[in-house]
């Protein structure tokens, strides 16, 4: 059974940094893709994807250069390091699996989500 549990999140000031973590169980990240989508005022948006077999990464344009997705070696845990956070980044962030790899922003399993609030 696939389970995805997010941690981190909270309140961050504009321009600040924040880190999210996702611990996955029920599958081996060596053979799947894992990452994040967010649900905010603009709707649902794929944010970052890490392709387990190759280690390649994909980001949505608004976060490229500011967010970094990484994996803890040997673990089914991915992190999303968020820097230079902007007001538009405020959303609920869900850890998710990508059934099509990182080629498509399509999702099949996801966690309950964790809120990121951006305020001074």
């Amino acid at each position: 059974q696939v389970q995805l549990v997010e941690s981190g999140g909270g309140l961050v000031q504009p321009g600040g940094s924040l880190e999210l973590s996702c611990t996955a169980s029920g599958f081996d990240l060596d053979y799947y893709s894992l990452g994040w989508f967010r649900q905010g005022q603009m709707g649902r948006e794929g944010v970052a994807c890490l392709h387990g077999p190759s280690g390649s990464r994909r980001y949505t344009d608004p976060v490229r250069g500011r967010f970094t997705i990484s994996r803890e070696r040997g673990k089914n845990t991915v992190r999303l390091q968020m820097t230079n956070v902007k007001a538009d980044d405020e959303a609920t962030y869900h850890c998710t699996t990508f059934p099509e790899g990182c080629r498509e922003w399509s999702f099949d399993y996801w966690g309950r989500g964790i809120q990121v609030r951006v305020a001074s």
Side-chain angles (χ1 to χ4, degrees):
Q1 181 179 359
V2 174
Q3 288 190 324
L4 304 169
V5 179
E6 303 97 342
S7 61
L11 178 65
V12 60
Q13 294 184 344
S17 299
L18 197 66
E19 184 175 272
L20 309 181
S21 294
C22 171
T23 299
S25 59
F27 67 96
D28 189 337
L29 184 53
D30 287 344
Y31 302 102
Y32 290 91
S33 297
L34 189 65
W36 303 84
F37 72 79
R38 62 189 178 186
Q39 189 83 38
Q41 291 188 348
M42 300 299 291
R44 180 174 293 183
E45 177 185 33
V47 175
C49 178
L50 187 148
H51 186 243
S54 69
S56 64
R57 296 162 174 82
R58 182 186 180 191
Y59 300 93
T60 187
D61 286 344
V63 310
R64 187 175 294 113
R66 300 188 296 118
F67 291 10
T68 302
I69 188 170
S70 62
R71 177 185 178 186
E72 288 192 36
R73 181 169 293 277
K75 297 184 178 180
N76 265 18
T77 299
V78 293
R79 300 188 186 280
L80 185 70
Q81 181 68 36
M82 306 167 62
T83 63
N84 190 20
V85 173
K86 302 179 180 180
D88 286 347
D89 296 323
E90 182 166 297
T92 299
Y93 285 71
H94 295 264
C95 181
T96 182
T97 55
F98 294 80
E100 304 297 326
C102 296
R103 297 187 304 273
E104 300 287 340
W105 291 120
S106 62
F107 327 111
D108 49 5
Y109 297 96
W110 54 85
R112 291 188 174 187
I114 195 160
Q115 192 169 15
V116 172
R117 288 193 58 222
V118 183
S120 300

